[in-house]
Amino acid sequence: MSQTTRATISAIIITKNEEQILSECLASLDWVDEIVVVDSGSTDNTVAIAEAAGAKVYVNAEWPGFGKQKQLAQSYATKDWIIAIDADEVVSPELKQSLLKLLENPPADTLVEVNELTWVFGRFLRHSGWYYSHVRVYPRLYTQYDDALVHEKIIRPEGAKTQVLDGDLLHYSYRDLTHYLVKSAHYAKAWADGREARGKKSSISQGLLHALGCFLKMYVLKRGFLDGKQGFLIAVLSAHSTFVKYADLWIRNTDSRAAK
């Protein structure tokens, strides 16, 4: 791609055993000026795939949580702007064009949101609360991710403006039900770890109430029923995942052997 006077951009990706979608992810980043990958100890072909695509690959196997791992990735980046992308995400052609246009005349003090469209068990979910925009693009020296163990977010500087781009970031999150359950358990553990570290308590009744609220919000309020059978299934699974994280924390609070 010929270089112009546009602003430069680094893509940052954190990985662990992401060989299934990573090649497609990296191919959709053929327009960026630099790709930085921080791997946390993959045992598959993730690192080899990233290196073959020309990415700068670093390894940090001592997992510090999602937020700090993304901070580390950003510390290795050198370009004007950052796009933070997961290894199971693909930049659509429309989003690519929106990003290139943005870089031709980049706004100051602005956080850029992109629309995330997730593929779940055979279809893209456009409802269920799963089609939404969030910040993924920002000036490198302006901000970074917070320290959260899970569900990390970009720190919003005072006075920051927000811009939403056209086009979708295609998220191929779950290969199958087993993959969903494994990822869900990982997120639940990280959530319970964070709560436990802050001295928080939980109960079975809290888990049940939050699980029911999760299902009703996704399937009814967020119109998950318009996503067909997949909408119903993901609402049920999300309610289950919600219950599990509260149950995990309750077990830690109650069973002294659970902490050993």
Side-chain angles (χ1 to χ4, degrees):
M1 182 178 63
S2 62
Q3 295 297 309
T4 66
T5 57
R6 71 164 176 83
T8 56
I9 189 166
S10 303
I12 62 171
I13 310 172
I14 63 173
T15 60
K16 185 173 182 180
N17 295 334
E18 298 285 358
E19 65 180 7
Q20 285 78 15
I21 303 294
L22 183 57
S23 294
E24 191 175 352
C25 168
L26 295 171
S28 76
L29 294 171
D30 60 353
W31 52 277
V32 306
D33 302 284
E34 173 184 63
I35 300 175
V36 174
V37 172
V38 174
D39 188 77
S40 57
S42 292
T43 56
D44 63 3
N45 293 318
T46 293
V47 170
I49 291 170
E51 290 176 340
K56 298 177 179 179
V57 181
Y58 305 87
V59 176
N60 179 39
E62 296 183 4
W63 177 249
F66 285 91
K68 289 187 176 181
Q69 193 83 328
K70 287 187 176 179
Q71 290 174 20
L72 180 61
Q74 182 169 328
S75 75
Y76 293 126
T78 63
K79 304 306 178 183
D80 302 325
W81 281 69
I82 296 288
I83 176 170
I85 183 170
D86 293 339
D88 56 1
E89 295 175 334
V90 175
V91 176
S92 69
E94 184 180 8
L95 179 58
K96 172 183 173 179
Q97 292 306 313
S98 294
L99 286 161
L100 288 172
K101 184 176 180 180
L102 173 87
L103 294 172
E104 291 175 0
N105 186 24
D109 303 331
T110 299
L111 305 178
V112 179
E113 296 187 359
V114 300
N115 298 303
E116 182 177 330
L117 181 60
T118 303
W119 179 267
V120 177
F121 307 139
R123 73 182 292 170
F124 284 113
L125 297 187
R126 295 189 176 276
H127 307 280
S128 304
W130 278 43
Y131 184 53
Y132 57 93
S133 65
H134 52 165
V135 176
R136 290 297 193 93
V137 182
Y138 53 93
R140 178 174 60 87
L141 299 179
Y142 187 52
T143 188
Q144 64 178 9
Y145 277 90
D146 59 21
D147 294 339
L149 293 175
V150 66
H151 301 313
E152 69 285 0
K153 293 182 176 63
I154 291 295
I155 298 169
R156 180 176 291 274
E158 184 176 355
K161 301 182 287 291
T162 300
Q163 179 177 344
V164 183
L165 295 183
D166 293 332
D168 295 324
L169 186 62
L170 308 177
H171 187 194
Y172 297 93
S173 186
Y174 309 115
R175 296 189 297 274
D176 49 39
L177 186 56
T178 298
H179 187 214
Y180 172 90
L181 293 171
V182 170
K183 289 185 72 170
S184 174
H186 177 72
Y187 286 130
K189 181 182 182 302
W191 182 90
D193 286 345
R195 286 291 184 117
E196 185 180 35
R198 299 196 300 273
K200 299 295 185 179
K201 304 293 183 180
S202 181
S203 67
I204 293 297
S205 60
Q206 274 186 307
L208 289 169
L209 288 172
H210 281 277
L212 178 59
C214 174
F215 177 83
L216 292 175
K217 180 179 180 181
M218 290 182 63
Y219 196 66
V220 180
L221 295 180
K222 298 294 184 178
R223 300 188 299 170
F225 55 87
L226 294 177
D227 286 320
K229 293 178 181 178
Q230 287 90 342
F232 177 78
L233 179 57
I234 203 64
V236 171
L237 290 172
S238 296
H240 168 265
S241 300
T242 298
F243 176 78
V244 166
K245 67 183 184 182
Y246 282 93
D248 185 0
L249 184 57
W250 173 77
I251 290 170
R252 300 181 193 202
N253 299 155
T254 305
D255 186 353
S256 61
R257 294 179 64 87
K260 296 180 180 180

